[in-house]
């Protein structure tokens, strides 16, 4: 019974390149959350998605960042034209589908992006 | 808006000593409260959670936390720490709205355990 799977675990990009981070939620979960953890800071909410829908993207930077959760396949967080300030750990979490009002979030091990 | 304050950035305790990590939250109604632990290079693991009922909740690895509404606090405790407890601990507050959990994390407390 696999947990939340994120890949790659580590990603190095040069400024101006694109970064794609993938997240496969736990089996049976259809809610996906992305959080960003900057050095010496806590986790900051970025976006919440359900299959084929972005529900809440209030924490996403307005430019260069996008997320999707297609009907088939993993959720993807995409960062275009990366800058050094994008260096962080990006965590994906999932929760069970609707009706679970008190469920916890189940976290992946994170993808650590380093921008040179 | 909900928020979480963890006033201690770093805490050092001796192995075998007791531990208390502080957490204060801000939310208008009764919140859902969580403590997560993160080992270096790893993801977050849930230690315990409070939704309703008994204000003293037991978690994994011998941890417990007490919800005190009057103080807006949810402090984490352990009677005797082990070297393996060295990690970063995050308090979080959530509420259910619009069909999903909105969870806000504190900035974390790093725990160092010395022999």
């Amino acid at each position: 019974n696999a947990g939340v799977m994120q890949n790659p675990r580590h990603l190095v990009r040069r400024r101006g390149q694109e970064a794609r981070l993938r997240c496969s939620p736990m089996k049976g979960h259809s809610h996906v959350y992305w959080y960003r953890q900057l050095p010496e800071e806590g986790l900051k909410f970025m976006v919440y998605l359900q299959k084929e829908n972005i529900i809440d993207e209030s924490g996403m930077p307005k430019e260069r960042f996008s997320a999707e959760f297609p009907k088939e396949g993993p959720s993807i967080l995409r960062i275009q034209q990366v800058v050094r300030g994008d260096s962080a750990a990006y965590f994906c979490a999932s929760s069970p589908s609707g009706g679970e009002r008190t469920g916890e979030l189940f976290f992946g091990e994170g993808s650590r992006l380093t921008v040179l | 808006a909900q928020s979480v304050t963890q006033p201690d950035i770093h805490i050092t305790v001796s192995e075998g000593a007791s531990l208390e990590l502080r957490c204060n939250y801000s939310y208008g109604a009764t919140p859902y409260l969580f403590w997560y632990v993160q080992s270096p290079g790893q993801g977050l693991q849930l230690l315990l959670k409070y939704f309703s009922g008994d204000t003293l909740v037991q978690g994994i690895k011998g941890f417990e936390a007490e919800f005190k509404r009057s103080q807006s606090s949810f402090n984490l405790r352990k009677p005797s720490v082990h070297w393996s407890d060295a990690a970063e601990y995050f308090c979080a507050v959530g509420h259910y709205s619009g069909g999903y959990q909105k969870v806000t994390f504190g900035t974390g407390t790093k725990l160092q355990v010395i022999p």
Side-chain angles (χ1 to χ4, degrees), chain B residues 13-103:
Chain B
V13 299
S14 299
E15 190 169 14
S18 63
L19 172 70
E20 183 169 29
L21 302 182
R22 296 183 291 167
C23 172
N24 292 95
Y25 69 90
S26 173
Y27 181 63
T30 299
Y32 304 143
L33 295 162
F34 309 85
W35 275 99
Y36 283 84
V37 61
Q38 184 183 31
S39 297
Q42 301 297 312
L44 278 73
Q45 180 184 20
L46 183 71
L47 284 176
L48 47 79
K49 59 186 178 183
Y50 171 79
F51 292 124
S52 63
D54 193 347
T55 55
L56 184 63
V57 293
Q58 302 296 321
I60 61 172
K61 304 184 181 185
F63 285 91
E64 66 178 25
E66 186 171 12
F67 169 56
K68 292 185 177 180
R69 184 190 302 276
S70 62
Q71 299 176 19
S72 297
S73 69
F74 189 57
N75 294 348
L76 182 71
R77 300 193 295 248
K78 186 170 184 179
S80 176
V81 298
H82 188 263
W83 62 267
S84 61
D85 293 325
E88 188 157 20
Y89 292 80
F90 292 93
C91 181
V93 60
H95 71 277
Y96 191 83
S97 174
Y100 69 100
Q101 280 278 2
K102 296 187 178 186
V103 181

Side-chain angles (χ1 to χ4, degrees), chain A:
Chain A
N1 186 17
V4 177
M5 304 300 293
Q6 290 189 247
N7 68 83
R9 291 290 309 278
H10 299 275
L11 182 64
V12 178
R13 287 287 179 264
R14 296 190 180 280
R15 281 179 296 170
Q17 292 184 317
E18 178 180 287
R20 284 190 180 222
L21 310 177
R22 289 175 290 277
C23 170
S24 296
M26 285 183 70
K27 189 174 182 180
H29 288 190
S30 61
H31 297 207
V32 167
Y33 307 74
W34 284 94
Y35 283 81
R36 177 165 63 174
Q37 184 179 35
L38 293 167
E40 306 301 321
E41 294 186 19
L43 279 78
K44 302 294 186 185
F45 169 78
M46 298 182 75
V47 61
Y48 161 65
L49 310 100
Q50 296 179 16
K51 285 283 188 181
E52 301 184 276
N53 284 302
I54 297 174
I55 307 301
D56 181 350
E57 56 181 347
S58 58
M60 287 278 273
K62 293 290 185 284
E63 299 177 346
R64 303 186 297 109
F65 285 71
S66 62
E68 63 178 9
F69 189 15
K71 186 177 181 180
E72 301 291 337
S75 175
I76 295 175
L77 179 67
R78 182 183 179 204
I79 312 172
Q80 296 178 287
Q81 300 174 341
V82 296
V83 301
R84 289 216 174 106
D86 297 332
S87 296
Y90 292 84
F91 288 94
C92 172
S94 71
S95 66
S97 54
E100 181 59 60
R101 297 178 66 89
T102 59
E104 69 188 81
L105 299 182
F106 294 81
F107 281 84
E109 295 190 330
S111 292
R112 283 153 181 83
L113 172 65
T114 300
V115 180
L116 301 178

